[in-house]
């Protein structure tokens, strides 16, 4: 399991952060985190960092649009971890996401993706394209943790909207030839 021992003192970026939940959890476990999303989300992400992380200075927020050239702002391999959750729901968006991942990831970067199966065909195409550039393996989650996650989603009635009951968690690392 990924925890404090893995994250303390490491750097992480959350792409398409939304409210920043995944990145804020990583920050609470000791990572220095950059939360990214569309430009209009930056203030929202900064506010959530201030409200939810005791060490908010370890969290920054900035805009990042998939498919844009980010090499002037981030060097390849600048982050130990790239975190994504629920960002594979549109084929056009996932193609741009892969272009962004290729600009950010080095051979030492670990990409962690939570992929709810809202549109199975899109997820299958995304995973197939991802395999062209990354070694991809499922992350094993304990039955107890999975049951808690699904139970919480069912209680909030989110699973019927977002497909959380079939969420695949993947770990990806850049192929050596890339």
């Amino acid at each position: 399991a990924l925890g404090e021992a893995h994250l303390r003192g490491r750097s992480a970026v959350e792409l398409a952060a939304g409210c920043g939940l995944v990145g804020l959890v990583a920050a609470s476990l000791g990572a220095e985190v950059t939360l990214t999303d569309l430009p209009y989300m930056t203030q929202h992400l900064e506010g959530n960092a201030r409200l939810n992380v005791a060490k908010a200075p370890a969290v920054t927020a900035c805009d990042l649009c998939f498919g844009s050239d980010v090499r002037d702002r981030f060097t390849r391999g600048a982050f130990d971890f790239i975190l994504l959750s629920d960002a594979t729901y549109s084929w056009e968006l996932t193609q741009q996401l892969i272009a962004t991942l290729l600009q950010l990831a080095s051979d030492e970067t670990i990409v962690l993706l939570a992929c709810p199966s809202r549109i199975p065909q899109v997820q299958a195409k995304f995973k197939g394209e991802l395999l062209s550039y990354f070694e991809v393996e499922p992350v094993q989650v304990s039955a107890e943790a999975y049951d808690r996650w699904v139970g919480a989603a069912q209680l909030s009635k989110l699973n019927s909207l977002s497909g959380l009951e079939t969420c695949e968690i993947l770990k990806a690392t850049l192929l050596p030839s890339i």
Side-chain angles (χ1 to χ4, degrees), residues 28-61:
S28 74
L29 293 171
E32 293 183 25
V33 175
T34 301
L35 302 171
T36 69
D37 209 312
L38 297 172
Y40 67 89
M41 294 294 293
T42 304
Q43 282 187 311
H44 175 67
L45 289 168
E46 290 169 344
N48 283 348
R50 281 191 303 277
L51 286 172
N52 294 291
V53 179
K55 294 183 180 180
V59 179
T60 58

Side-chain angles (χ1 to χ4, degrees), residues 93-160:
L93 184 65
T94 58
Q95 290 177 304
Q96 296 168 1
L97 168 58
I98 289 173
T100 300
L101 290 174
L102 290 171
Q103 292 179 67
L104 294 173
S106 73
D107 58 348
E108 296 188 17
T109 305
I110 296 172
V111 182
L112 294 172
L113 306 99
C115 304
S117 189
R118 287 202 259 175
I119 306 171
Q121 303 88 335
V122 171
Q123 188 169 344
K125 276 180 86 171
F126 169 70
K127 195 171 174 183
E129 185 72 14
L130 194 65
L131 287 166
S132 300
Y133 305 101
F134 291 86
E135 183 177 321
V136 179
E137 60 185 84
V139 174
Q140 299 302 315
V141 178
S142 73
E144 178 184 332
Y146 185 81
D147 287 345
R148 274 188 306 207
W149 174 252
V150 172
Q154 288 172 339
L155 286 174
S156 65
K157 299 186 180 178
L158 289 174
N159 66 327
S160 62

Side-chain angles (χ1 to χ4, degrees), residues 60-106:
T60 58
C62 66
D63 63 285
L64 186 151
C65 299
F66 293 166
S68 63
D69 189 343
V70 300
R71 294 172 295 179
D72 61 333
R73 298 183 341 182
F74 305 110
T75 59
R76 192 173 194 192
F79 301 103
D80 298 307
F81 294 94
I82 299 173
L83 310 171
L84 291 119
S85 179
D86 196 16
T88 58
Y89 50 84
S90 154
W91 176 239
E92 294 76 24
L93 184 65
T94 58
Q95 290 177 304
Q96 296 168 1
L97 168 58
I98 289 173
T100 300
L101 290 174
L102 290 171
Q103 292 179 67
L104 294 173
S106 73

Side-chain angles (χ1 to χ4, degrees), residues 14-26:
E14 183 181 5
L15 303 179
C19 68
L21 175 63
V22 174
L24 294 173
V25 169

